[in-house]
Amino acid sequence: MLKICKLGEEVLRQKALPIKDEDINDDLRALADEMFETMIEANGVGLACPQIGKSIRMFVAMADDDVKRVFINPQIIKTSDDSVPYEEGCLSVPQVYENIMRPSQVTVQAQDQNGKRFVLEAEGLLARIIQHENDHLDGVIFIDRGDEEFAKKTAEQFAKRAERAAKKAAEKEAKAKKIAAKIAAKKAKKNNA
């Protein structure tokens, strides 16, 4: 499984770079396959490259029709006039959900994993996934589209989590160094005896 970046990591706020035609190759297809595996293992329905630390314009999606779709250099070219609320979540913001208003239908143009260009009209869950994942390519996270206060609290909560994790990692590293130093001292003492 690939590591999924969490809210607060810089890559999630960067605008991803377009993928050149010559870079649509076996390596990129293998990455898409790994992204599907990671997404399915994490119980997600979409995953964008910035979420796995790669600032390139590609995402994968699998809506309720169970069709695996790869979108390279996607562009939403049309949205419906009507918007609908839906409770969204995100693998990069685990256990956080909020009702987000989005257009109910979208038309997207992109390239598939073989570089072939396509246009897709989507509605329902697939339309929502496309918009959510496409946002990731522009450094936008779903909480940015909801209540401002909720977004602020969520960002603060994740900053505190990251701080605690970093502190724990530093303590673990210091403990490991201390143990290594004791072992080295014992070996040195034994060798000098």
Side-chain angles (χ1 to χ4, degrees), residues 14-20 49-50 54-58 72-74 137-138:
Q14 296 169 345
K15 191 172 174 77
L17 299 172
I19 297 171
K20 296 175 188 156
C49 279
K54 297 189 180 299
S55 195
I56 55 174
R57 298 190 79 77
M58 180 173 83
I72 297 171
N73 299 324
L137 304 182
D138 293 324

Side-chain angles (χ1 to χ4, degrees), residues 1-192:
M1 264 194 40
L2 300 167
K3 177 193 174 284
I4 297 174
C5 298
K6 301 292 187 274
L7 180 63
E9 293 185 55
E10 200 175 304
V11 69
L12 293 175
R13 292 302 190 177
Q14 296 169 345
K15 191 172 174 77
L17 299 172
I19 297 171
K20 296 175 188 156
D21 286 348
E22 60 267 24
D23 293 331
I24 301 173
N25 55 29
D26 288 343
D27 290 340
L28 195 68
R29 285 185 278 280
L31 177 64
D33 289 342
E34 284 183 82
M35 289 173 70
F36 277 118
E37 286 174 29
T38 300
M39 177 193 83
I40 291 165
E41 183 71 29
N43 294 318
V45 291
L47 187 65
C49 279
Q51 292 180 274
I52 56 161
K54 297 189 180 299
S55 195
I56 55 174
R57 298 190 79 77
M58 180 173 83
F59 67 80
V60 298
M62 192 166 74
D64 35 17
D65 59 3
D66 286 340
V67 175
K68 290 181 176 180
R69 293 180 174 91
V70 177
F71 296 81
I72 297 171
N73 299 324
Q75 288 182 298
I76 294 174
I77 54 175
K78 187 179 173 192
T79 60
S80 59
D81 293 331
D82 66 314
S83 290
V84 291
Y86 187 86
E87 188 178 68
E88 287 188 29
C90 181
L91 297 176
S92 291
V93 192
Q95 299 167 348
V96 173
Y97 303 92
E98 186 177 18
N99 273 328
I100 303 295
M101 293 291 288
R102 293 194 191 264
S104 62
Q105 298 176 323
V106 296
T107 303
V108 62
Q109 65 182 19
Q111 291 168 272
D112 67 13
Q113 64 272 26
N114 297 311
K116 185 177 177 209
R117 297 181 191 287
F118 67 91
V119 174
L120 175 70
E121 290 182 14
E123 60 184 13
L125 181 60
L126 182 58
R128 182 151 305 258
I129 295 167
I130 289 168
Q131 293 172 81
H132 178 112
E133 300 307 330
N134 198 64
D135 273 354
H136 276 300
L137 304 182
D138 293 324
V140 176
I141 298 174
F142 84 101
I143 59 171
D144 301 336
R145 299 211 176 267
D147 177 68
E148 207 175 295
E149 191 58 35
F150 178 79
K152 185 180 172 191
K153 281 182 183 172
T154 303
E156 287 170 359
Q157 176 188 355
F158 273 79
K160 284 179 186 170
R161 277 189 201 175
E163 211 175 275
R164 284 194 302 268
K167 186 179 176 186
K168 213 176 223 180
E171 287 170 357
K172 192 175 178 180
E173 189 179 334
K175 192 174 184 179
K177 282 182 181 176
K178 203 174 183 180
I179 291 169
K182 279 185 180 178
I183 291 169
K186 278 185 178 178
K187 278 185 181 177
K189 197 174 187 180
K190 189 178 180 183
N191 290 339
N192 290 337

